[in-house]
Amino acid sequence: MSRPGGDRRGAGPTRRAPGFFGGLRVRLVATFVAVALISAVTATALAYRDARTAVLQRTQNAAVDDLRERTSQVAADFDLPPDRRSLTRFAGKVSEGVGTGDRKVVARYQDLVGVSDELADTQGRITPELRAAVRAGEAARFQRVRWRGEPYLVVGMPVRYADGDRRTSGLEVFAISDLRAEHEDTAALLDSVRDGIAPVVVLAAVLALLAAGTVLRPVRKLGRATRGLAAGDLGSRVAVKGHDELADLARTFNETADALQASDTELREQEAKARRFVADVSHELRTPLAAMTMVATVLEEDADQLPPDAARAARTVGAETARLARLVEDLMEISRFDAKAIRLNAAETDLADTVRASLALRGWTDRVVTHLPPGVRAVVDRRRIDVIVANLVGNALRHGAPPVTVTLRVEPVAGRDWVTLEVADHGPGLPPGARERVFDRFYKADEARTRKADGGGQGSGLGTAIAWENARLHGGTIEVADGRGSGAVFTLRLPRRLTGEDPQ
């Protein structure tokens, strides 16, 4: 149910502004940057791989060619089987012509080992796998190893006899080359390419911001126009620029707004005509109804002297005339509400006395159980409170079942004192679906019910709507709920003090 001061029709959904991290601009920029970053990283990885492969391949080819050529030259004058001293001299001669830089040559013949640099530790750099491959193969073999944290290239090859039968001599030669220079070159290349990623990402972000601004600027304008249209500014339009999808969207929005404005104007004109028609008809009916009421009153007073059928007809005419008069008054009251011509004549009032007077005026004092504590005062329009009480209690008496109770109390809500007037009956209650429409004009929960004319004025179907409008005029509301055991409970809630704002 609605709270005090709320609208019985309910409030629309609250629009939430997009957060910074949920905005379309941020998502577009993030997408651009992510694509640029992935592209840059992928390009860097491919460039590093290709450059490293090319450098190492060139170094390996040069090392293999140099070792093969130099070994062939030196081995031509080398006698087998060698001793350790001659094997060392062989390794030294081979190392003199194998490339440049720090290169060491190891010559092996069976269990003898000769090293070009006798102080160098070569055991850890020539792996058993490479020795086995050289011993079993016919061509040169190479392997990249890391020794003491540094990269090295080790090339090995068997030495064959020069007599043409291509037999291996049992002599094996290994050349150990330092790869630190190549490693530094590829690392420098990687650093330079990696350093270029940051400018690429920044450039991508700048381009993304520019692109996002170009795309989002018309979207923001369209959003502002849409919010203006939703807020009631039917003249809100969007400037159409270009021939892209956004321009088509703006054009469609403008066409929709034009159609909506035309429909709204037509509906307002029809509504104004309808209100004027109801007000004019109601006003014109007052004079003949006054005459009919006088005639009906005279007939009712003399009904006891008429024949039974004529007496019954006279009383029926009187009751229906009174009902028609109340309907005209209700229509005029609704017309004043629609025209926003209603103003409160509010003053501090004892609500218990007001309720008792309303019940006594209509002869309901003996038919209603009241719980009206003294001293409950509020700033209200006494006449309009009387209308609300008459409608709510009249409905309970007519459509409910005794006992009908009226309870007055004060309730604090959200730091303010509110006056609550509760009208409960013990009848069948409201049928399903009636609670949402009970305050609609001319709505009847039971279309087949017998219409009775009494002081409540509810037969017209406007009573609950007028009661709700009067409650809203005070800044309050009327709620309806099922009773604890049976029946229906209508609850009027009003602030004890008006806020000073015009409820209209």
Side-chain angles (χ1 to χ4, degrees), residues 128-254:
E129 293 82 5
L130 181 60
R131 287 201 301 268
V134 171
R135 186 177 299 115
E138 297 180 355
R141 295 288 188 269
F142 62 86
Q143 185 179 32
R144 291 192 296 271
V145 297
R146 296 192 72 84
W147 184 69
R148 295 180 180 177
E150 299 294 339
Y152 291 90
L153 174 66
V154 182
V155 180
M157 60 178 296
V159 179
R160 296 177 178 83
Y161 289 109
D163 55 4
D165 59 1
R166 310 300 294 171
R167 290 180 299 111
T168 59
S169 63
L171 180 61
E172 300 168 0
V173 182
F174 297 89
I176 303 173
S177 303
D178 190 350
L179 291 179
R180 280 180 295 182
E182 288 77 8
H183 177 72
E184 290 173 358
D185 291 342
T186 55
L189 175 63
L190 177 62
D191 291 339
S192 63
V193 176
R194 186 169 51 202
D195 292 341
I197 292 179
V200 169
V201 172
V202 172
L203 179 61
V206 172
L207 293 177
L209 286 172
L210 295 176
T214 302
V215 173
L216 295 181
R217 192 175 298 111
V219 173
R220 285 196 297 269
K221 292 180 180 178
L222 183 60
R224 285 194 295 268
T226 303
R227 289 191 291 273
L229 191 65
D233 182 12
L234 299 183
S236 179
R237 297 294 186 274
V238 181
V240 179
K241 297 181 180 179
H243 303 281
D244 55 8
E245 289 80 359
L246 290 175
D248 291 340
L249 181 60
R251 194 175 296 108
T252 302
F253 172 83
N254 291 340

Side-chain angles (χ1 to χ4, degrees), residues 407-491:
T407 304
L408 178 67
R409 58 178 175 268
V410 177
E411 293 181 348
V413 177
R416 296 179 61 191
D417 285 342
W418 290 73
V419 177
T420 299
L421 183 68
E422 185 180 277
V423 179
D425 65 71
H426 291 74
L430 294 172
R435 187 181 304 173
E436 291 76 15
R437 300 186 56 195
V438 70
F439 296 107
D440 291 347
R441 299 174 184 181
F442 292 104
Y443 175 72
K444 296 179 181 179
D446 182 7
E447 297 291 345
R449 71 173 183 261
T450 303
R451 297 185 303 184
K452 298 179 181 179
D454 57 26
Q458 294 297 304
S460 66
L462 290 173
T464 52
I466 292 175
W468 187 88
E469 292 286 357
N470 279 307
R472 187 180 65 88
L473 198 65
H474 286 82
T477 187
I478 300 177
E479 301 173 0
V480 60
D482 294 329
R484 294 180 179 86
S486 61
V489 179
F490 285 79
T491 304

Side-chain angles (χ1 to χ4, degrees), residues 162-441:
D163 55 4
D165 59 1
R166 310 300 294 171
R167 290 180 299 111
T168 59
S169 63
L171 180 61
E172 300 168 0
V173 182
F174 297 89
I176 303 173
S177 303
D178 190 350
L179 291 179
R180 280 180 295 182
E182 288 77 8
H183 177 72
E184 290 173 358
D185 291 342
T186 55
L189 175 63
L190 177 62
D191 291 339
S192 63
V193 176
R194 186 169 51 202
D195 292 341
I197 292 179
V200 169
V201 172
V202 172
L203 179 61
V206 172
L207 293 177
L209 286 172
L210 295 176
T214 302
V215 173
L216 295 181
R217 192 175 298 111
V219 173
R220 285 196 297 269
K221 292 180 180 178
L222 183 60
R224 285 194 295 268
T226 303
R227 289 191 291 273
L229 191 65
D233 182 12
L234 299 183
S236 179
R237 297 294 186 274
V238 181
V240 179
K241 297 181 180 179
H243 303 281
D244 55 8
E245 289 80 359
L246 290 175
D248 291 340
L249 181 60
R251 194 175 296 108
T252 302
F253 172 83
N254 291 340
E255 293 173 355
T256 303
D258 290 339
L260 182 61
Q261 187 175 29
S263 298
D264 179 76
T265 301
E266 182 180 357
L267 288 174
R268 288 179 183 274
E269 292 175 353
Q270 292 178 356
E271 184 180 6
K273 291 178 180 179
R275 285 199 299 266
R276 286 196 299 271
F277 175 77
V278 171
D280 292 344
V281 169
S282 301
H283 182 75
E284 293 298 326
L285 285 175
R286 297 184 73 178
T287 301
L289 273 175
M292 292 174 60
T293 302
M294 289 177 21
V295 174
T297 301
V298 172
L299 291 175
E300 284 188 284
E301 290 176 353
D302 297 336
D304 294 338
Q305 302 174 7
L306 298 175
D309 291 342
R312 186 163 48 253
R315 294 188 180 95
T316 301
V317 168
E320 291 301 319
T321 301
R323 180 176 178 275
L324 182 59
R326 287 193 296 271
L327 175 59
V328 170
E329 292 297 327
D330 286 347
L331 287 173
M332 295 186 67
E333 184 76 357
I334 284 292
S335 298
R336 286 191 287 270
F337 276 115
D338 290 341
K340 302 186 184 303
I342 299 294
R343 292 293 180 269
L344 284 176
N345 184 18
E348 189 171 358
T349 305
D350 188 315
L351 292 180
D353 290 344
T354 301
V355 173
R356 290 192 190 96
S358 180
L359 297 177
L361 179 64
R362 293 161 179 80
W364 294 340
T365 303
D366 297 335
R367 302 173 60 187
V368 177
V369 178
T370 60
H371 304 282
L372 306 173
V376 179
R377 303 182 68 83
V379 178
V380 296
D381 187 327
R382 185 182 180 108
R383 184 183 71 82
R384 298 191 181 281
I385 296 301
D386 174 75
V387 172
I388 296 174
V389 172
N391 279 289
L392 297 184
V393 176
N395 270 338
L397 292 173
R398 186 162 43 256
H399 303 300
V404 174
T405 60
V406 177
T407 304
L408 178 67
R409 58 178 175 268
V410 177
E411 293 181 348
V413 177
R416 296 179 61 191
D417 285 342
W418 290 73
V419 177
T420 299
L421 183 68
E422 185 180 277
V423 179
D425 65 71
H426 291 74
L430 294 172
R435 187 181 304 173
E436 291 76 15
R437 300 186 56 195
V438 70
F439 296 107
D440 291 347
R441 299 174 184 181

Side-chain angles (χ1 to χ4, degrees), residues 18-34 204-205 208-209 211-213 216 220:
F20 177 78
F21 291 102
L24 187 58
R25 179 190 295 274
V26 175
R27 283 181 281 174
L28 284 174
V29 173
T31 301
F32 268 76
V33 171
L209 286 172
L216 295 181
R220 285 196 297 269

